[in-house]
Amino acid sequence: MGVGTPPRGPAVTPRLRRPEDDPNRPEPDGAGPELECVAVPDRNENASEDADNGVLESVTGAETTGIGIVEGATAQIDVALPVAVDDDDFDDDVVLDDEVEIHEGVVEEVDTVAASAVAEDVEEVEEAVDASAPDAATIALTSASLATADAAQHERLRPRTSEITLQSRRLGDFEAGRESSDLLTPDRLLDPAHAVRPEPDGAWQHLVYTLSGRRINLGDSKRARARKALDRRIAAPLHGGAKFVPVLSRKGGVGKTTITTLLGMALADAREDRVIAVDANPDRGTLAERIGRSSGKTVRDLVRAHADVQGFNDISEIVARDHTRLDIIASDTDPHVSEAFNDSDYDAVADVAAHFYSLVLTDTGTGIVHSVMGATLERADQLIVVAGLSVDEARLASETLTWLESNGYADLVRSAVVVLNTARPGAALVRAGELQSHFQTRVGHVVRVPYDAHIASGSAIVFRDLQPETREAARELAAIVVESLRQRVAA
């Protein structure tokens, strides 16, 4: 007997009997021989007191002429089939994934018991078949028993689909030979032969592209490729907090404010993040006058309101912005008031700027021992030292580097950039090559900025109106600054 199989009553085998074998049957009306299906018990020799044991107590037929089955008397058969009974209160179809842990031995034991139960059912069915002639009732009973046994043997535990939590899987979580959606990249799926290339950048290349009906694309010119490569260098991401880049010079008139403006415009024009230039000159700086736009506010206004700044809208009312998206905070126009600008004031301005900007340029004064200079150098991530093309200007710039090395800023000096600014037209009175060779032994990079009449006029600087050489020098300076900052972070 199989596990979980309820007890069964005596087996019943349908048999065919002629009507004339029954002495109690009335005479037929001459319509021909009739057959009658009756139930005969196979293994129930003793009379049972239970009327519902599945065996007819007599073979007397029941009248069924009223229901139109067979004219005359037929037998009624009650067949008891095995019914699966649950031994627990759980739904067999519901199995939680984290609660099912079946040992291999238990599974084998259950399969063995189920197979035994199936074998017993098959033997009983075969005995019934051997004891009688194969007829429709026997075949139906046998098919029912086999179907029930097969269902019991192949019953498996299945998880409910509504309980399954779908999770995103990376490539390493899948089986070998399977791919995740991360591998469906445009480079893999798009056919390069059918990809639309952008229009070429360059006079000759664009002319060929237009005359050929956009069929011949020679690509960008050499100059265009160099320009785009420089754009990528300037726009490289900077990780970490805000980066502070002060511009230093111990001598006035060498172009410190001009270099600060050019560097800020080149950075803001190519980058997506925010760039600001702070005029921290205690002696009346002119940084705001180099962009031609003024907000009417100065660093003093930001110092007073720095505790109330809640968002970028608050600081945007104080700064001035040019067409390259460079923001500038002007210094005080009154020399008596601007003298009061000290290190604590600069720290207040720098804290606000660091919260809203990625790059903070500082146009310093000429006093290297001023308290503002000390606060500026403490926050510096990269140094820019401006030197003019004259003997005294070059010497002061070199002495500035020496002072910085002697006061704990040797690391900044080694990665610093010296800008040789040509502020006068015509041929220089000194050998620029010799100056460049000297500073290359002291700092990381040396950049030469050519003379530009647009800058020498002293008016507002429009970046797009500069000479191509001047613009290229400013962009190269910006790329060097970004690369130095990235190297410093990586180190």
Side-chain angles (χ1 to χ4, degrees):
M1 185 69 65
V3 176
T5 305
R8 296 184 294 273
V12 177
T13 304
R15 298 179 181 274
L16 297 176
R17 188 179 65 181
R18 296 180 178 276
E20 56 267 19
D21 295 337
D22 186 0
N24 298 323
R25 182 176 180 82
E27 292 296 329
D29 55 358
E34 295 183 355
L35 296 179
E36 181 181 16
C37 180
V38 298
V40 179
D42 286 346
R43 296 189 300 273
N44 190 11
E45 290 85 1
N46 300 324
S48 174
E49 298 178 358
D50 188 3
D52 296 331
N53 62 356
V55 181
L56 294 177
E57 292 184 354
S58 65
V59 297
T60 304
E63 182 67 26
T64 59
T65 57
I67 59 177
I69 297 177
V70 179
E71 294 182 359
T74 60
Q76 179 178 355
I77 302 174
D78 293 335
V79 180
L81 299 178
V83 180
V85 179
D86 289 339
D87 296 335
D88 49 32
D89 297 333
F90 297 97
D91 189 355
D92 292 338
D93 291 338
V94 179
V95 179
L96 299 179
D97 294 339
D98 53 351
E99 295 182 359
V100 177
E101 185 177 358
I102 304 176
H103 195 274
E104 295 180 358
V106 177
V107 176
E108 294 177 357
E109 181 179 354
V110 172
D111 292 341
T112 304
V113 174
S116 300
V118 173
E120 292 180 2
D121 294 338
V122 173
E123 290 177 359
E124 292 177 0
V125 172
E126 289 178 352
E127 291 177 359
V129 172
D130 294 340
S132 62
D135 53 16
T138 303
I139 294 174
L141 181 61
T142 303
S143 301
S145 300
L146 292 176
T148 303
D150 184 74
Q153 181 180 6
H154 293 86
E155 183 178 3
R156 294 292 182 265
L157 300 176
R158 299 187 306 274
R160 181 181 295 175
T161 55
S162 61
E163 300 292 339
I164 298 178
T165 302
L166 298 179
Q167 297 180 354
S168 177
R169 293 187 175 183
R170 305 292 297 177
L171 180 60
D173 298 334
F174 281 81
E175 300 176 359
R178 299 180 63 188
E179 295 183 355
S180 67
S181 60
D182 298 339
L183 298 181
L184 298 178
T185 60
D187 294 337
R188 178 184 179 185
L189 300 180
L190 297 181
D191 188 358
H194 297 85
V196 179
R197 297 177 58 186
E199 294 187 6
D201 192 349
W204 170 251
Q205 288 78 4
H206 194 273
L207 177 62
V208 173
Y209 181 74
T210 304
L211 295 178
S212 64
R214 299 187 177 185
R215 294 184 180 89
I216 301 177
N217 191 333
L218 301 178
D220 296 335
S221 63
K222 182 178 180 180
R223 181 177 299 178
R225 292 195 300 268
R227 185 185 69 250
K228 293 180 179 180
L230 189 57
D231 286 338
R232 289 191 294 268
R233 291 172 58 194
I234 300 174
L238 294 173
H239 303 289
K243 309 301 179 184
F244 287 82
V245 182
V247 182
L248 312 177
S249 175
R250 290 184 61 186
K251 180 176 175 54
V254 297
K256 177 175 51 63
T257 301
T258 299
I259 297 303
T260 304
T261 306
L262 293 178
L263 175 60
M265 289 181 174
L267 289 169
D269 187 57
R271 297 185 61 84
E272 297 295 334
D273 48 10
R274 296 170 180 163
V275 182
I276 188 172
V278 179
D279 194 343
N281 190 344
D283 302 323
R284 174 61 171 90
T286 59
L287 181 62
E289 298 175 3
R290 303 299 274 174
I291 66 170
R293 298 182 182 180
S294 175
S295 64
K297 304 293 182 65
T298 65
V299 290
R300 183 59 54 188
D301 296 295
L302 184 57
V303 170
R304 296 191 188 101
H306 78 279
D308 299 328
V309 175
Q310 302 296 328
F312 184 73
N313 290 335
D314 297 329
I315 193 175
S316 63
E317 297 177 354
I318 300 175
V319 302
R321 174 171 293 188
D322 81 326
H323 61 279
T324 62
R325 300 183 305 109
L326 171 65
D327 290 349
I328 289 182
I329 301 180
S331 64
D332 287 323
T333 56
D334 188 352
H336 298 287
V337 177
S338 62
E339 187 64 30
F341 188 78
N342 53 29
D343 54 348
S344 60
D345 296 335
Y346 177 79
D347 287 335
V349 173
D351 289 339
V352 175
H355 187 73
F356 297 101
Y357 294 88
S358 299
L359 280 167
V360 181
L361 309 181
T362 305
D363 184 12
T364 64
T366 56
I368 198 171
V369 294
H370 196 278
S371 62
V372 177
M373 182 67 72
T376 302
L377 294 175
E378 288 298 326
R379 293 176 177 264
D381 296 295
Q382 177 71 31
L383 290 180
I384 306 294
V385 179
V386 182
L389 295 183
S390 65
V391 176
D392 59 337
E393 293 171 349
R395 185 174 295 171
L396 283 176
S398 184
E399 290 176 357
T400 302
L401 297 176
T402 303
W403 186 90
L404 292 171
E405 292 172 343
S406 303
N407 288 271
Y409 303 105
D411 291 341
L412 290 175
V413 171
R414 281 192 291 268
S415 62
V417 181
V418 171
V419 179
L420 299 178
N421 183 38
T422 306
R424 303 177 184 89
L429 299 178
V430 298
R431 298 176 181 176
E434 292 296 328
L435 286 179
Q436 185 169 351
S437 299
H438 168 75
F439 286 113
Q440 284 178 346
T441 63
R442 306 287 305 273
V443 298
H445 302 275
V446 179
V447 177
R448 297 177 60 179
V449 177
Y451 171 81
D452 195 311
H454 181 68
I455 297 175
S457 64
S459 61
I461 298 176
V462 180
F463 193 67
R464 62 174 177 268
D465 294 340
L466 295 173
Q467 296 293 330
E469 296 81 4
T470 306
R471 219 171 28 244
E472 189 72 13
R475 286 163 50 82
E476 181 65 26
L477 175 61
I480 291 175
V481 169
V482 172
E483 290 173 350
S484 298
L485 292 172
R486 288 170 56 86
Q487 292 175 2
R488 188 177 183 85
V489 172

